[in-house]
Amino acid sequence: DDRLGAFMAVAHLAGLGRSRIAYLGSRYEGQFFQRERRAGYQEALAAAGLQTDPELVSYCADPWNESIQEFPEIESLVAGGARFDAVFCEFDALAARLYRSLRRQGLTVPGDVAVVGSDDERAALWIEPPLTSVRPPHQEMARRAVDLLHGAVTGGSLVPGRELLKPTLVRRQST
């Protein structure tokens, strides 16, 4: 449930007293999880009584391209004059790149800017300070997929549908 995960992340930031929470994501619109995370971000802001500020929403053109070292969208968010005190990143690798830009501007995590990522990738542990991140229930997802496949192979039917599994928020030093 990517919407719930984003909601949990932003609610956590708001619960810490952060009131200018930015969103850093991907410009690519093809993935369901991206739309759901954006919706969860907006819903959590509304639930906390905070406004969505378009200046605090930034989308990177090709964030999965590991050969790109610099992202002007991140630099623009950090140095562009928009005041923010927290950032929810659509996935953890963006948070790692965000840290670099924040440091260049003399900002600290979490002192000046609290950061939460999503997917709880290895990068969450490798960056300093370790990243608070939304962890999908990978084992349960795999178990459900195998169960569905096994049922279809052994004579059952595979009915199209969607099952939402609850993520958890893993709190680390970035918040």
Side-chain angles (χ1 to χ4, degrees):
D1 190 342
D2 286 298
R3 184 180 294 225
L4 175 61
F7 187 96
M8 292 165 55
V10 175
H12 170 66
L13 292 166
L16 295 172
R18 305 297 176 137
S19 60
R20 301 276 298 159
I21 304 170
Y23 183 94
L24 182 58
S26 167
R27 195 170 291 153
Y28 179 66
E29 294 288 333
Q31 299 293 327
F32 177 77
F33 78 88
Q34 292 166 303
R35 290 189 301 274
E36 289 297 294
R37 289 176 184 176
R38 291 172 192 160
Y41 164 79
Q42 293 173 333
E43 290 170 5
L45 288 178
L50 303 173
Q51 297 291 320
T52 302
D53 182 345
E55 287 186 13
L56 299 182
V57 177
S58 184
Y59 301 112
C60 296
D62 191 6
W64 291 284
N65 187 339
E66 293 180 11
S67 67
I68 298 175
Q69 295 300 312
E70 302 300 322
F71 287 92
E73 300 90 350
I74 296 175
E75 297 298 324
S76 176
L77 175 68
V78 172
R83 190 179 53 80
F84 58 92
D85 57 10
V87 181
F88 171 63
C89 296
E90 199 170 88
F91 49 94
D92 293 343
L94 279 176
R97 290 174 167 142
L98 172 66
Y99 274 31
R100 186 179 330 150
S101 293
L102 291 170
R103 284 189 181 114
R104 274 190 225 141
Q105 292 297 316
L107 300 170
T108 63
V109 175
D112 298 308
V113 180
V115 180
V116 177
S118 197
D119 294 329
D120 200 30
E121 301 168 3
R122 288 185 197 140
L125 295 172
W126 293 344
I127 58 179
E128 188 59 40
L131 180 67
T132 296
S133 187
V134 176
R135 178 183 292 161
H138 290 124
Q139 289 182 332
E140 188 176 352
M141 291 165 59
R143 184 188 56 77
R144 287 294 303 136
V146 169
D147 288 349
L148 289 169
L149 183 58
H150 182 263
V153 169
T154 58
S157 63
L158 188 58
V159 179
R162 182 176 13 178
E163 186 175 335
L164 294 176
L165 303 175
K166 187 177 179 180
T168 57
L169 182 65
V170 180
R171 295 177 184 166
R172 297 189 181 99
Q173 290 82 10
S174 68
T175 58

